[in-house]
Amino acid sequence: VTTTNTLPHMLDLVSVNDPSQGTVISSGKSITWTTPLSKNETVTLTYRAVISYRTSSSIKNTAYANDDINGPVALTAQTTFKTMPNYLPIIFKN
């Protein structure tokens, strides 16, 4: 099975952990993971990304899994986040 994921424009890829099996190739915002997979088998790939700029309070990411037998399957995840203002102290100097 080959899974491909191009991160949304507001995310920057920080790192990709070693997968539970298979090989991973990452470049820029793109991740490609290829692994042998049996029926009902579960595998995991973990990666970290940071928000490079904010356009809204939600991010939707879609990866595509393809086994070359059936058509590609879209795997979509969406998350929301809350921003909090930072107030810095005002310092006066005479």
Side-chain angles (χ1 to χ4, degrees):
V1 174
T2 299
T3 303
T4 57
N5 185 9
T6 300
L7 297 178
H9 54 78
M10 78 281 290
L11 293 180
D12 287 330
L13 185 63
V14 174
S15 65
V16 179
N17 290 1
D18 291 334
S20 57
Q21 67 183 41
T23 58
V24 173
I25 299 171
S26 63
S27 176
K29 294 179 179 277
S30 183
I31 303 167
T32 301
W33 178 27
T34 303
T35 185
L37 196 58
S38 301
K39 184 176 180 179
N40 296 324
E41 184 177 7
T42 302
V43 291
T44 303
L45 176 68
T46 303
Y47 64 87
R48 285 179 287 290
V50 295
I51 300 170
S52 56
Y53 63 91
R54 187 173 69 104
T55 59
S56 69
S57 62
S58 70
I59 298 172
K60 184 176 182 180
N61 187 30
T62 302
Y64 297 92
N66 190 347
D67 63 3
D68 289 332
I69 298 170
N70 303 298
V73 175
L75 307 168
T76 302
Q78 184 166 348
T79 187
T80 58
F81 58 93
K82 185 182 344 179
T83 58
M84 301 183 70
N86 290 324
Y87 298 101
L88 303 175
I90 297 174
I91 299 173
F92 293 100
K93 182 176 180 182
N94 291 333

